[in-house]
């Protein structure tokens, strides 16, 4: 408990933890003030996200980069997951779709581009692990195919019998590409496993 109190004193953003009970009390006592609930909830979720980030960084410092990266990827989007579950329970499916699409675009494009830009301002020649980059690009490709195949199957009812052959062709091409990429990823892991997960 003592390290937590020291961290709260040192980090002014954690002072917003006071809004966690305020948000819960506002929901209980004034159920109709939706804007007020939203403001209190945003102010309450900020320090919780900071604490979660700090916790994963602390575990990563003890366990190494590979486990730390896994924990960061798992728990880094926990805030979005909680919001998505609450939105699904409320029937806000479009909000969840937009949130997932925004998270994918932010993490894969904006953060990567910002890293290249800011790294290039300080270091004019940057180095990166080419094997790991190829492996991660392959995993991104697999995730894309994994999202496209169910969408194609869901469209099957709308296409009817005329579109069935076209859909089967798309499905077979996607399955072949996915199987080829899985084979390549397994080969990369066998031959370059240590280089992929190197610090």
């Amino acid at each position: 408990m003592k390290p937590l109190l020291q961290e709260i004193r040192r980090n002014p953003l954690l002072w917003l933890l006071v809004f966690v009970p305020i948000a819960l009390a506002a929901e209980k006592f004034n159920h109709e003030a939706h804007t007020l609930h939203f403001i209190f909830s945003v102010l309450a979720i900020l320090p919780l996200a900071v604490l979660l980030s700090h916790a994963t960084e602390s575990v990563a410092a003890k366990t190494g980069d590979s486990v730390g990266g896994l924990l960061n990827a798992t728990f880094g989007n926990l805030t979005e997951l909680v919001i998505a579950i609450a939105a699904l329970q409320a029937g806000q499916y479009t909000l969840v779709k937009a949130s997932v699409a925004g998270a994918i675009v932010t993490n894969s494009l904006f953060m990567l581009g910002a890293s290249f830009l800011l790294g290039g301002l300080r270091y004019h020649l940057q180095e990166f692990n080419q094997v790991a980059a190829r492996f991660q690009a392959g995993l991104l490709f697999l995730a894309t195919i994994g999202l496209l195949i169910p969408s194609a199957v869901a469209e099957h009812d709308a296409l009817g019998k005329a579109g069935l052959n076209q859909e089967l062709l798309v499905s077979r091409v996607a399955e072949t590409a996915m199987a080829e990429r899985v084979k390549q990823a397994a080969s990369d892991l066998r031959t370059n496993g240590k280089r992929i997960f190197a610090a």
Side-chain angles (χ1 to χ4, degrees), residues 45 77-101 103:
I45 210 165
N77 295 330
L78 190 63
T79 311
E80 293 173 7
L81 182 64
V82 169
I83 292 171
I85 289 172
L88 282 174
Q89 288 176 341
Q92 299 287 333
Y93 303 115
T94 308
L95 176 67
V96 176
K97 288 179 187 176
S99 173
V100 170

Side-chain angles (χ1 to χ4, degrees), residues 16-159:
L16 295 175
L17 279 171
V18 74
F19 284 103
V20 174
I22 290 174
L24 294 173
E27 170 67 24
K28 182 126 178 125
F29 294 123
N30 191 357
H31 193 68
E32 298 300 319
H34 301 296
T35 305
L36 188 65
H37 295 163
F38 178 77
I39 292 170
F40 284 155
S41 297
V42 168
L43 291 174
I45 210 165
L46 283 173
L48 295 175
V50 169
L51 282 175
L52 185 64
S53 172
H54 184 68
T56 54
E57 287 172 5
S58 298
V59 172
K62 301 281 185 190
T63 59
D65 287 340
S66 296
V67 176
L70 178 66
L71 286 174
N72 196 13
T74 304
F75 294 117
N77 295 330
L78 190 63
T79 311
E80 293 173 7
L81 182 64
V82 169
I83 292 171
I85 289 172
L88 282 174
Q89 288 176 341
Q92 299 287 333
Y93 303 115
T94 308
L95 176 67
V96 176
K97 288 179 187 176
S99 173
V100 170
I104 290 171
V105 168
T106 299
N107 289 331
S108 63
L109 297 177
F110 177 72
M111 295 305 281
L112 180 66
S115 299
F116 286 160
L117 177 68
L118 295 176
L121 291 176
R122 182 164 184 185
Y123 306 104
H124 297 292
L125 181 63
Q126 298 183 63
E127 296 180 8
F128 65 95
N129 188 339
Q130 293 179 358
V131 176
R134 189 172 104 196
F135 184 73
Q136 297 297 332
L139 290 179
L140 184 62
F141 176 73
L142 282 177
T144 304
I145 296 297
L147 289 172
L148 289 178
I149 289 176
S151 299
V153 171
E155 291 291 321
H156 168 67
D157 292 336
L159 290 173

Side-chain angles (χ1 to χ4, degrees), residues 142-195:
L142 282 177
T144 304
I145 296 297
L147 289 172
L148 289 178
I149 289 176
S151 299
V153 171
E155 291 291 321
H156 168 67
D157 292 336
L159 290 173
K161 290 186 178 179
L164 182 59
N165 290 335
Q166 182 182 4
E167 183 181 329
L168 287 174
L169 177 65
V170 169
S171 178
R172 286 187 182 130
V173 168
E175 287 170 3
T176 305
M178 199 166 178
E180 191 62 34
R181 194 58 214 144
V182 167
K183 188 174 85 173
Q184 182 65 40
S187 172
D188 284 348
L189 278 175
R190 268 195 312 275
T191 57
N192 300 313
K194 289 184 179 177
R195 289 178 61 199

